[in-house]
Amino acid sequence: MENDVDMAGEENEEAELDDMKKRLKEMEDEAAALREMQAKVEKEMGSVQDPATVAATQANREEVDSRSVFVGNVDYSCTPEEVQQHFQSCGTVNRVTIRTNKYGQPKGYAYVEFLEQEAVQEALLLNESELHGRQLKISAKRTNVPGMKQFRPRRPNPNMGYRSRSPYVPPYFYSPYGYGKVPRFRMPMRYSPYF
């Protein structure tokens, strides 16, 4: 009888072990399929790029920026169609981009891309022209170079006094005076009203 129980227990354990092996195999297959899909998506999205592709996209971006102008002080109620009409006299407008914040409200500036580079010079002549009662500020669009953030050091404020980089450390950790009687600064013993 004892032998039968051991045989049933071993068979039970072997069945559980086989089930676990099957589940492990299924999980490994699923993980491999997910890795394959991830690699495919990365390849399509271009997140894994070779330097030649990066250089080509940078050159393309510079070429597009050379045909574009920055338009500042754009009225918040302006639509891209109105901006396009304003610049139609300069040349063929390819695209108008009015930048918005995360809530969808316009930031007050726009970019206008033309089909020809000559149109940029014509658009610069429209600097300080009016649209919706606001004087536009027009300049050639700059190309941002990735990784070349302009460093602006902090200027000291004469009203702030000297500030060190170390964090504020209170004069002492526990107040020897009980609750609510913490002096703002530590006075010398002979001038302190607490002693």
Side-chain angles (χ1 to χ4, degrees), residues 151-165:
F151 175 71
R152 294 188 305 170
R154 296 176 104 187
R155 288 180 289 162
N157 187 346
N159 301 329
M160 291 290 286
Y162 175 73
R163 285 184 52 157
S164 66
R165 289 230 178 245

Side-chain angles (χ1 to χ4, degrees), residues 7 58 61 88 97 140 184 191:
M7 292 297 279
Q58 182 67 20
R61 192 175 302 143
Q88 202 67 46
T97 307
R184 290 259 179 223
Y191 298 117

